[in-house]
Amino acid sequence: MISTVPIPLLVLNGMSQRHLDQIGQRFDVCHAPTPAQRAQAIAGQGARFRAVLTIGSVGLTAQEIGAMPALELVCVLGAGYENLALDAARARGIALANGAGTNDDCVADHAFGLLIAIVRGMRALDRQCRAGVWRDAIGLPPNVSGKRLGIFGLGTIGRKIARRAAGFDMEIGYHNRSPRADVPHRYFGSLHDLAAWCDVLVCATPGGPATHHRVDAAVLQALGPQGYLVNIARGSVVDTQALAAALRERRIAGAGLDVYESEPAPPQELIHLDNVLLTPHVAGWSPEAVQASVNRFLANAEGYFAGRGVVSPI
């Protein structure tokens, strides 16, 4: 940093003390991870903050940006920024950056873990084994290898999921707003058509209004009774009520979800169903991934305040 006076930074997301201490070596940190602390910090100290660190699900509102007249930089710790008021920030000329690429491998690993677990029925097999049920009393769980994998959102994470799928000899298709010229995978112009083609549909698309409930009853119907859904994107991408009905009525075979609309509360419509596997939004969490995202924030912030610009702009 050029200045010897630490720059005031407001941190809105939960963070370990070790990482707060690391950031605190270079910034004057105000940590406000709860709604009450956040409101109090902005009301009482908003005029002094020059930078904000947040995450996509926590975001930063236009009203909050307006309450921080000295704000120059907003960084998102991960890749997603669906609840960040981009227009308000850009209208003020505030620099914007995220942590794209810092946890992609971790998310892709987790996505494939969910995929294998739901197709092979690991949750039920574990329960049956503990109860003394031997394999002769259990139906044959399907292969993962050779299945058709549909990826909704072939960004960096989607590509890494596809790379892992290639090791399982899976045929890969995808749906984006437009096809990519630099990939060999089959492009589908609609999510419905992709769901009808694939055996496993993985959601790896950004959240926000453009993708809200894109996986709806019609898409799930197209996926079919032998199809599986994996969501490591955002909970808002999947219509929870439609998914619960499809799972209850066995109109799809199963689902593996790391994200859901009710976060952080568990999805009450799903928790009693035996054909869904849930994890608490940890796909991007590992010691390595979190450290990389903190390092990226520091690189973005130092680049901006040194006049070089941020490393990974939004």
Side-chain angles (χ1 to χ4, degrees):
M1 314 296 287
I2 291 176
S3 173
T4 58
V5 178
I7 291 169
L9 167 69
L10 175 62
V11 178
L12 296 177
N13 49 284
M15 186 167 281
S16 72
Q17 191 59 52
R18 180 169 68 87
H19 289 128
L20 288 171
D21 290 344
Q22 180 184 356
I23 294 171
Q25 293 175 10
R26 311 180 197 188
F27 291 89
D28 177 7
V29 176
C30 174
H31 189 212
T34 70
Q37 291 169 334
R38 174 176 178 159
Q40 184 178 20
I42 293 173
Q45 306 178 58
R48 75 184 191 93
F49 295 125
R50 296 177 60 193
V52 168
L53 175 61
T54 186
I55 57 175
S57 58
V58 169
L60 186 68
T61 70
Q63 182 178 4
E64 289 169 333
I65 290 171
M68 292 183 278
L71 186 61
E72 303 174 48
L73 172 68
V74 177
C75 290
V76 178
L77 198 63
Y81 47 86
E82 68 274 15
N83 289 322
L84 176 57
L86 296 176
D87 291 343
R90 286 173 174 150
R92 280 262 306 274
I94 294 168
L96 301 168
N98 69 355
T102 55
N103 66 356
D104 294 350
D105 284 318
C106 192
V107 175
D109 290 350
H110 196 88
F112 222 82
L114 288 172
L115 188 160
I116 293 172
I118 61 169
V119 173
R120 292 293 292 171
M122 298 291 192
R123 179 170 178 257
L125 290 173
D126 176 83
R127 184 177 64 250
Q128 289 165 326
C129 187
R130 292 170 190 270
V133 179
W134 184 238
R135 65 184 185 183
D136 296 338
I138 299 170
L140 300 175
N143 268 21
V144 171
S145 297
K147 290 287 188 289
R148 289 177 168 179
L149 177 66
I151 302 175
F152 176 28
L154 198 70
T156 307
I157 291 172
R159 290 182 190 220
K160 293 198 171 185
I161 293 169
R163 187 184 307 166
R164 285 152 177 76
F168 285 77
D169 298 319
M170 299 182 83
E171 188 177 352
I172 299 163
Y174 72 100
H175 171 67
N176 278 355
R177 285 175 294 181
S178 58
R180 294 188 175 276
D182 57 345
V183 297
H185 313 309
R186 180 175 175 181
Y187 175 73
F188 289 80
S190 79
L191 181 57
H192 184 278
D193 290 346
L194 176 65
W197 171 84
C198 69
D199 299 302
V200 184
L201 177 64
V202 177
C203 298
T205 188
T211 58
H212 183 261
H213 284 190
R214 287 291 307 280
V215 178
D216 56 13
V219 168
L220 294 168
Q221 189 70 27
L223 188 57
Q226 304 302 316
Y228 300 86
L229 175 72
V230 173
N231 188 11
I232 46 78
R234 287 291 187 265
S236 59
V237 173
V238 177
D239 182 335
T240 304
Q241 298 299 326
L243 175 61
L247 289 165
R248 279 196 311 269
E249 298 163 16
R250 304 288 170 167
R251 287 185 281 110
I252 68 169
L257 310 175
D258 184 56
V259 290
Y260 30 88
E261 293 185 276
S262 59
E263 293 178 20
Q268 293 301 316
E269 304 90 339
L270 303 175
I271 58 176
H272 301 297
L273 301 176
D274 63 2
N275 53 348
V276 61
L277 179 63
L278 301 168
T279 57
H281 203 153
V282 294
W285 281 28
S286 70
E288 300 88 346
V290 173
Q291 186 60 62
S293 67
V294 171
N295 293 346
R296 175 65 63 82
F297 160 69
L298 290 172
N300 276 321
E302 291 177 356
Y304 172 78
F305 286 111
R308 299 188 303 271
V310 298
V311 174
S312 47
I314 295 173

